[in-house]
Amino acid sequence: MLKTLVFILFFLPLTLFSQELVVMGTVFDANTGEILPFVKVQLNHSNSGALTDSLGQYFIKANTPSDSIFINLPGYNYQAHKIEANKAQIIDFSLEPTVHTIEDLTILPPDELPSVILFKKIIKNKPINDIKKLTSYEYESYNKIQVDLNNIGDKFKDRGIVKKMDIILQYLDSADNGKSYLPLLLTESVSNYYYTTNPIRKKEVLIGSKVTGVDNLNFEQFLGEMYMDMNVYDNNIIIINRTFVSPISTIARNYYQFLIIDSGFIDNKWCYQMSFKPKRDGDLTFEGTMWIHDTTFAIKSIKGIVSPNANINYIKSLQFEQNYNQVNNEAWVLTEEYVLADLNIVKKSATFGAFVRKYSSRKDYRINNPHPDDFYRSSSTVELLDSTKSRTNEWWEIHRHVPLTSAQIGITKMTDSLTNLPFYRNLQGVARLFITGYMPYGWFEFGHLHRLLSFNPVEKTRLGFSIRTSNKFSKVIELGGKLYYGFGDNQFKYGGSARINTSQKKRGVLSLFYEYDIEQIGASPKASQVGSTFGTLFRTGPLDKLTFVKKAGINFEKDIHKDFVLFTAMDLKEYVALGKANYVRVNELTGVHDTISKIRTSEVTLRLRWAKNEEFISGVFDRVSIKSKYPILSFQTIFGIKGALESDYKYQKYEFTYDHRALAGVIGYIRYGFAVGYINGTAAYPFLKVHEGNQSFYLNKNTFNKLNYFEFISDRYVDAYIENHWGGLFLDYIPKVNKLKMRFVSSARATWGMISQRHEKEMLLPPFTKQFGKIPYLEVSLGLENILNLIRIDVFYRVTHQIPGASPFGVRARIDMFF
């Protein structure tokens, strides 16, 4: 009412005496009722208008005619009202806020580069493009590996060793950089590979295998696909047992920088080329480029080289290239792969090194057409046909995916020529001496290099000599003997053995042995013999609890299935205590302690070991495990038979062990495991569980390094351990320190047990043995490995059962060669 009254009193005279247009009013929000200040109100078809004041009110006086007034305010709906000509009037505006419906809103961060967008599409489509998504697939594979001696230099021909083998000068070849190399070894294989899902099963049949340049080694199974598959679609790529981050890992952006550098057609498919390089030195990564298909975002081709500063030993460089094709417009499959590794003991050394070249080809893919379940069942990881290793040259000419080069053809001729040279055969013998400890000569091998000289308190100085027959004598039977002499006790120690290879296709070895020697009970099985030259030179305590051991036995080890190894044995053992390890028993009639001169036992052992997909590099009699990515389980029973061959005791031992070496990506690898055991019956303490110790500065990875011999003895026990090899995870980020390529390693090992008093009827425990009680023994360590590429040094701390007056700390070291 007040606003109307003011309008009448002041503006009515204007309407009576002039033709001017006058409009006034208030603008407010229709939803909230709030006034809207500083809003422009405009007359239609006129330049006249006004802004509302702080109270939301406006006033317009105009001489030009207009038929309406309007407001067009962002955030509100357009609103207009009619006005009467030549008349003063009040018009209020109630504005409705504008409402917009947004179906999909994507907010991109400011650093969303084209390379990042492309990478995300690669990751999104990985499950679709990875060949493992198929129900099944199979193909024919051809693998070729060549090993060459490199770093030869211009003076190679003038060296005396070369002049004695001048035949090799005919086979020198040139690398791309113009430097010479000498081809030494060539392997070829053709196989059929099968894969199916639900459940995942693999099968490989090696139909052809050829190795030139190496005698008496069986590693054909490693020439197939099972051991050469480098899948770039996996987040981690395993090379020489080290874990590298794949350039298309889901976490690759944390380790790589990406950049789109080109685009074009490859095999009539439009692709983008993207480079990748490491963000940091020291990481196990690659540097290179890859071509990505523009529609499926699959890898069409990828080339890479191991990062030059990666924390890895003996590899100056490692390059790879993979090419992929699409099959049936559905699956992208690997068709060709090239790998070149340049190896050297010291990366910047001018000494001889080696090229390792690998070429792989896959063809005749067949996808999503699985075989019956029985087809995939196999007794071995890689099956060998009877004719696998005896294919003719004509067969190879037909089945090779690519022809051999002239240098590769020459390897066979050169090897045959060299084996006829005495100097070359002697050179091979020296190399074998340092690797195996034995020097071959004709039908025999002489050694053992590591046991020629040693020292202990009983024998003082000990000299030794061993001999065994070579593979030239027989590949079915091996005979061996050893002879040692102690200058402290003036006694000879000796032994003999025979090994019979009962089956070459499915390994079986029958062994017979006799030994008369000194041992250290309570050391690891491999360290129990006191003849080790290295171990006796670096002791932390005296070997004053030794045992004279006379034993004979027969055992048989047989691969009974793809993953199982059965071991059976019958042993007769006679122990005589030396030094402080006296054998004492309480006389039941007199109560006096009687000394026992010797103790005897006859044992039957059964052990079953399971290791999924474990494979070995095998010689005729010996073999080395390449381990398994799965846990290794073992169950062992030992029966002591009283009265058999004058055995004194009746007991039963049961033990279960679990051991696993697991790759852990960027944090290296972890080895962990446990053992539980129980001994029933009664026995003298040397035949119970003597918890393994180590009285040497040499680090033993399978014993307690701060535990003394015979400290703990049990008939019920449990062991547990964990060891983490961290790689360069920490030290690689410290400037200058990372150049040393050292690596952290940490470990913890614990044991606990109990012992029944019933065993004291047979023999009293020695006074230097103690009980666990309720507290387990625990030791931990922290160390550095890969010092100078060879040395590992750990600092151990004995957490529990510390010895008064003795430091709980200890330093142990060992020599290891690892990549």
Side-chain angles (χ1 to χ4, degrees):
M1 291 296 295
L2 179 61
K3 183 171 65 176
T4 303
L5 180 60
V6 171
F7 177 79
I8 294 174
L9 292 176
F10 286 91
F11 297 107
L12 180 59
L14 297 175
T15 63
L16 294 177
F17 299 104
S18 83
Q19 300 299 314
E20 289 180 333
L21 175 63
V22 176
V23 184
M24 63 179 297
T26 304
V27 180
F28 55 91
D29 188 296
N31 289 343
T32 65
E34 294 179 355
I35 60 174
L36 298 175
F38 312 114
V39 176
K40 184 177 182 180
V41 186
Q42 183 76 34
L43 292 176
N44 198 17
H45 306 301
S46 172
N47 293 327
S48 299
L51 292 175
T52 59
D53 59 16
S54 60
L55 299 176
Q57 297 177 355
Y58 70 93
F59 175 84
I60 299 175
K61 182 172 72 171
N63 293 322
T64 57
S66 178
D67 60 354
S68 63
I69 186 171
F70 69 90
I71 295 178
N72 190 9
L73 179 65
Y76 290 86
N77 293 332
Y78 173 86
Q79 194 172 124
H81 296 279
K82 291 183 179 181
I83 57 175
E84 298 178 10
N86 302 322
K87 181 181 179 181
Q89 50 208 287
I90 298 175
I91 299 177
D92 293 332
F93 286 82
S94 178
L95 301 181
E96 294 283 348
T98 302
V99 177
H100 296 290
T101 301
I102 302 176
E103 294 183 357
D104 193 6
L105 177 64
T106 301
I107 300 176
L108 298 179
D111 62 344
E112 195 79 340
L113 300 173
S115 58
V116 175
I117 298 173
L118 180 58
F119 176 81
K120 289 183 176 180
K121 290 182 178 180
I122 296 172
I123 298 301
K124 181 180 179 181
N125 288 275
K126 270 180 65 173
I128 302 173
N129 293 321
D130 190 351
I131 190 175
K132 293 179 181 178
K133 62 113 179 189
L134 299 174
T135 303
S136 70
Y137 61 87
E138 58 190 74
Y139 55 83
E140 181 182 286
S141 171
Y142 171 73
N143 289 292
K144 178 173 61 177
I145 299 176
Q146 179 180 337
V147 179
D148 310 320
L149 184 70
N150 67 12
N151 232 13
I152 288 178
D154 297 332
K155 298 181 180 180
F156 177 75
K157 299 178 182 180
D158 299 327
R159 298 185 179 186
I161 190 173
V162 176
K163 290 181 178 180
K164 294 181 180 181
M165 301 183 296
D166 58 359
I167 188 72
I168 66 178
L169 299 179
Q170 303 175 27
Y171 299 97
L172 291 179
D173 208 337
S174 297
D176 295 336
N177 58 10
K179 294 185 178 180
S180 297
Y181 65 88
L182 179 66
L184 295 177
L185 179 143
L186 177 68
T187 71
E188 294 181 275
S189 67
V190 179
S191 62
N192 293 322
Y193 182 80
Y194 308 89
Y195 180 94
T196 185
T197 57
N198 297 323
I200 294 177
R201 291 184 179 179
K202 306 174 185 178
K203 178 180 178 179
E204 184 170 10
V205 180
L206 202 62
I207 60 176
S209 174
K210 190 175 184 181
V211 180
T212 303
V214 177
D215 294 328
N216 302 320
L217 281 182
N218 297 317
F219 53 85
E220 283 80 9
Q221 67 269 28
F222 300 102
L223 305 181
E225 290 293 286
M226 293 288 194
Y227 300 93
M228 298 186 178
D229 188 17
M230 186 172 74
N231 187 357
V232 72
Y233 282 96
D234 291 337
N235 287 329
N236 295 320
I237 297 176
I238 310 302
I239 301 178
I240 52 175
N241 231 12
R242 301 298 303 280
T243 303
F244 289 75
V245 180
S246 170
I248 59 171
S249 166
T250 53
I251 61 171
R253 289 180 62 198
N254 296 328
Y255 293 87
Y256 291 96
Q257 294 176 342
F258 297 95
L259 181 65
I260 297 177
I261 57 177
D262 199 359
S263 60
F265 283 102
I266 300 181
D267 297 334
N268 297 320
K269 297 183 183 295
W270 186 258
C271 300
Y272 300 105
Q273 187 182 30
M274 185 162 66
S275 66
F276 52 90
K277 64 179 182 179
K279 286 185 174 181
R280 295 174 296 271
D281 287 344
D283 286 341
L284 296 182
T285 51
F286 303 96
E287 182 175 343
T289 61
M290 53 186 166
W291 287 90
I292 302 101
H293 185 223
D294 74 326
T295 305
T296 62
F297 301 100
I299 303 301
K300 182 68 176 73
S301 176
I302 182 170
K303 295 181 181 180
I305 183 171
V306 169
S307 175
N309 296 311
N311 192 335
I312 190 168
N313 297 332
Y314 315 127
I315 296 182
K316 296 175 68 174
S317 69
L318 190 149
Q319 308 171 42
F320 73 93
E321 177 182 347
Q322 292 183 332
N323 297 314
Y324 294 79
N325 283 325
Q326 198 172 20
V327 175
N328 298 344
N329 292 321
E330 179 179 359
W332 286 87
V333 298
L334 178 64
T335 55
E336 278 190 312
E337 181 182 56
Y338 305 86
V339 177
L340 173 61
D342 187 357
L343 309 180
N344 205 304
I345 296 297
V346 181
K347 287 187 177 182
K348 296 183 179 180
S349 171
T351 59
F352 292 146
F355 284 136
V356 179
R357 311 167 192 264
K358 172 182 172 264
Y359 170 79
S360 297
S361 172
R362 301 175 182 179
K363 68 178 184 179
D364 299 337
Y365 273 91
R366 184 183 179 195
I367 65 174
N368 293 335
N369 194 357
H371 296 273
D373 288 345
D374 290 344
F375 174 83
Y376 297 97
R377 294 192 178 99
S378 176
S379 60
S380 59
T381 305
V382 178
E383 293 184 9
L384 275 67
L385 305 179
D386 292 337
S387 56
T388 293
K389 295 189 285 185
S390 58
R391 297 296 188 181
T392 64
N393 292 332
E394 291 75 17
W395 187 93
W396 282 105
E397 290 292 333
I398 296 172
H399 289 83
R400 283 190 186 102
H401 291 195
V402 294
L404 296 180
T405 66
S406 58
Q408 292 166 348
I409 294 173
I411 292 178
T412 302
K413 297 179 181 178
M414 184 188 70
T415 303
D416 293 341
S417 300
L418 285 176
T419 53
N420 293 323
L421 297 178
F423 180 78
Y424 178 76
R425 293 197 298 268
N426 292 337
L427 197 62
Q428 281 186 316
V430 172
R432 191 169 297 177
L433 173 65
F434 284 96
I435 295 173
T436 68
Y438 284 90
M439 177 74 174
Y441 187 81
W443 284 7
F444 299 96
E445 295 180 354
F446 302 92
H448 188 288
L449 179 64
H450 305 144
R451 299 188 182 278
L452 296 177
L453 175 67
S454 61
F455 308 93
N456 63 73
V458 175
E459 297 175 293
K460 306 303 181 182
T461 300
R462 171 185 168 115
L463 295 178
F465 172 77
S466 301
I467 185 174
R468 67 185 185 186
T469 57
S470 69
N471 293 334
K472 288 186 177 181
F473 171 79
S474 174
K475 293 186 178 181
V476 176
I477 185 170
E478 177 196 79
L479 304 176
K482 57 184 179 181
L483 180 67
Y484 300 97
Y485 183 77
F487 289 90
D489 60 357
N490 296 318
Q491 287 195 56
F492 285 99
K493 292 85 182 175
Y494 45 86
S497 65
R499 291 195 293 178
I500 302 171
N501 191 344
T502 62
S503 173
Q504 294 185 359
K505 187 171 183 180
K506 202 70 176 176
R507 185 177 189 270
V509 176
L510 177 68
S511 301
L512 299 92
F513 66 90
Y514 176 83
E515 291 187 7
Y516 181 73
D517 205 347
I518 294 176
E519 291 188 8
Q520 175 62 68
I521 308 299
S524 70
K526 292 184 178 180
S528 61
Q529 294 184 338
V530 299
S532 171
T533 303
F534 190 83
T536 58
L537 290 176
F538 300 97
R539 293 194 304 268
T540 59
L543 296 178
D544 53 4
K545 306 178 186 69
L546 297 174
T547 303
F548 219 122
V549 177
K550 183 191 297 184
K551 59 183 177 181
I554 180 173
N555 60 65
F556 182 61
E557 185 178 69
K558 176 65 176 177
D559 294 352
I560 60 174
H561 190 264
K562 173 182 174 183
D563 303 319
F564 289 93
V565 178
L566 177 65
F567 178 84
T568 60
M570 296 180 63
D571 297 338
L572 172 65
K573 301 177 184 178
E574 181 180 285
Y575 287 0
V576 175
L578 301 174
K580 296 181 179 179
N582 291 328
Y583 299 158
V584 177
R585 178 171 52 203
V586 176
N587 189 307
E588 294 182 354
L589 298 177
T590 64
V592 177
H593 289 182
D594 292 337
T595 299
I596 305 173
S597 60
K598 61 183 178 181
I599 55 177
R600 296 170 64 95
T601 185
S602 295
E603 294 182 338
V604 175
T605 300
L606 296 173
R607 180 170 66 243
L608 185 63
R609 183 178 183 273
W610 179 83
K612 182 177 175 62
N613 293 343
E614 183 181 31
E615 293 291 350
F616 303 85
I617 293 180
S618 301
V620 176
F621 297 98
D622 298 303
R623 62 181 182 178
V624 177
S625 172
I626 308 301
K627 304 299 182 184
S628 169
K629 68 177 181 180
Y630 300 98
I632 298 175
L633 282 62
S634 175
F635 180 72
Q636 176 175 273
T637 61
I638 300 177
F639 300 96
I641 305 174
K642 188 173 183 177
L645 300 175
E646 302 181 3
S647 173
D648 299 323
Y649 311 103
K650 179 182 179 180
Y651 53 86
Q652 304 85 41
K653 298 181 181 181
Y654 307 96
E655 183 179 67
F656 174 79
T657 62
Y658 176 101
D659 180 76
H660 190 201
R661 186 185 187 277
L663 295 175
V666 296
I667 65 171
Y669 70 89
I670 300 172
R671 181 179 175 232
Y672 64 97
F674 66 90
V676 292
Y678 174 72
I679 302 175
N680 188 36
T682 58
Y685 73 81
F687 302 134
L688 300 178
K689 171 65 174 180
V690 181
H691 294 264
E692 292 85 358
N694 180 20
Q695 293 182 199
S696 167
F697 284 110
Y698 187 79
L699 190 154
N700 193 313
K701 294 189 288 186
N702 298 310
T703 62
F704 296 88
N705 283 276
K706 282 292 294 176
L707 192 67
N708 294 324
Y709 301 136
F710 291 106
E711 256 198 87
F712 295 103
I713 300 174
S714 305
D715 61 10
R716 289 153 288 172
Y717 58 91
V718 58
D719 297 337
Y721 58 89
I722 183 170
E723 185 174 82
N724 196 338
H725 296 256
W726 298 91
L729 183 62
F730 304 112
L731 298 179
D732 283 350
Y733 299 113
I734 303 176
K736 296 186 178 181
V737 175
N738 57 7
K739 302 297 183 182
L740 301 176
K741 299 195 181 302
M742 295 185 295
R743 306 164 187 168
F744 266 124
V745 59
S746 60
S747 73
R749 186 176 287 266
T751 187
W752 179 84
M754 300 175 64
I755 186 168
S756 172
Q757 292 183 349
R758 67 177 183 270
H759 301 291
E760 295 196 0
K761 294 180 180 179
E762 303 292 348
M763 184 178 293
L764 296 177
L765 294 178
F768 40 78
T769 296
K770 53 190 177 184
Q771 302 298 311
F772 287 101
K774 296 183 178 181
I775 301 174
Y777 174 85
L778 172 64
E779 65 181 32
V780 297
S781 72
L782 184 65
L784 290 174
E785 60 181 356
N786 204 40
I787 301 171
L788 302 177
N789 295 354
L790 286 173
I791 302 171
R792 171 180 169 181
I793 300 177
D794 283 24
V795 176
F796 284 85
Y797 178 69
R798 182 168 172 153
V799 180
T800 59
H801 294 282
Q802 296 180 1
I803 300 174
S807 174
F809 292 95
V811 177
R812 302 290 185 270
R814 66 180 289 119
I815 295 176
D816 277 324
M817 292 188 67
F818 33 59
F819 286 98

